Amino acid sequence: MFLEAAVLGVVIGLVRKGSIRNISVTKIRGWILALIAFVLQISTLIFRDVSFVESYGRYFYIASSILIILTLVFNLDKKGMWIILTGSILNFIVVIMNGNKMPISFDGLELAGLQNMIDGIKSGEITNYMSIEQVTNWTKHLGKYIVMPKPYPMAKVISIGDVFMSLGIILFVQGQMIKPYLVTKSRMVSVGYRGRI
């Protein structure tokens, strides 16, 4: 969903006469925190059979979420960041209030053709998700139940928080593309002297 949002942001930016080059010169404060968050989330997939990750993997998601939220806070001056931050906080709240797990609709996963994910959650192989049917409080409305089924090429089940984050990413990308950057280039000026004999 986030990749599609970034691509859509680029398309909108190009339509609005923006420049992709602007994205390359965008400065993200605290980017190292986002990188650490990415490593934490990936490690739960790559090293899920390692005993330490198997025991504490669910806390990796919490730590990575906090790091991402901090990164967003450091960059609230950029277009769309407030919306991305709102979505991140919504997802963080529902995870914290449900034992460090994100509730997700099994019916939605089945509709999206993601039976393997259902099996993984039931078997305990996927530790950071739980069935939304087990949630009895109001946070079930913040879980993942919005289905993007096939023939959509990247079928998935998303949350309201994911929707906010995707919208924010679109605004951020196209906003940076149309932002006027002043790029100055320094040139060497050579001065020649003529001597008289």
Side-chain angles (χ1 to χ4, degrees), residues 32-144:
I32 190 68
L33 299 179
L35 179 61
I36 295 173
F38 176 75
V39 171
L40 285 174
Q41 292 197 9
I42 290 297
S43 64
T44 60
L45 299 176
I46 299 177
F47 305 109
R48 62 187 178 188
D49 294 330
V50 177
S51 59
F52 179 81
V53 176
E54 187 176 356
S55 300
Y56 300 99
R58 67 178 62 181
Y59 299 106
F60 285 18
Y61 179 84
I62 300 298
S64 65
S65 297
I66 293 174
L67 293 175
I68 290 173
I69 288 173
L70 287 175
T71 305
L72 294 171
V73 169
F74 293 153
N75 294 276
L76 288 180
D77 58 314
K78 296 177 175 61
K79 189 178 183 67
M81 284 297 180
W82 274 104
I83 301 178
I84 300 175
L85 178 61
T86 300
S88 298
I89 292 175
L90 289 176
N91 283 346
F92 184 71
I93 289 173
V94 67
V95 168
I96 287 294
M97 295 189 65
N98 288 282
N100 299 335
K101 294 184 178 183
M102 169 62 78
I104 190 167
S105 170
F106 282 8
D107 291 337
L109 288 173
E110 186 175 355
L111 184 60
L114 300 175
Q115 184 62 46
N116 289 340
M117 188 170 179
I118 297 176
D119 296 338
I121 296 172
K122 288 182 176 179
S123 66
E125 185 177 359
I126 300 176
T127 60
N128 56 331
Y129 284 98
M130 63 181 291
S131 171
I132 202 170
E133 285 75 19
Q134 296 176 326
V135 181
T136 58
N137 56 44
W138 59 272
T139 60
K140 65 182 179 182
H141 302 295
L142 299 179
K144 293 180 180 287

Side-chain angles (χ1 to χ4, degrees), residues 142-169:
L142 299 179
K144 293 180 180 287
Y145 59 86
I146 303 172
V147 185
M148 302 180 69
K150 295 180 179 179
Y152 183 72
M154 300 176 69
K156 63 193 67 176
V157 183
I158 62 176
S159 66
I160 293 177
D162 293 337
V163 173
F164 272 91
M165 293 174 69
S166 299
L167 177 60
I169 291 171

Side-chain angles (χ1 to χ4, degrees), residues 189-196:
V189 179
S190 59
V191 180
Y193 293 93
R194 290 184 180 180
R196 293 182 180 180

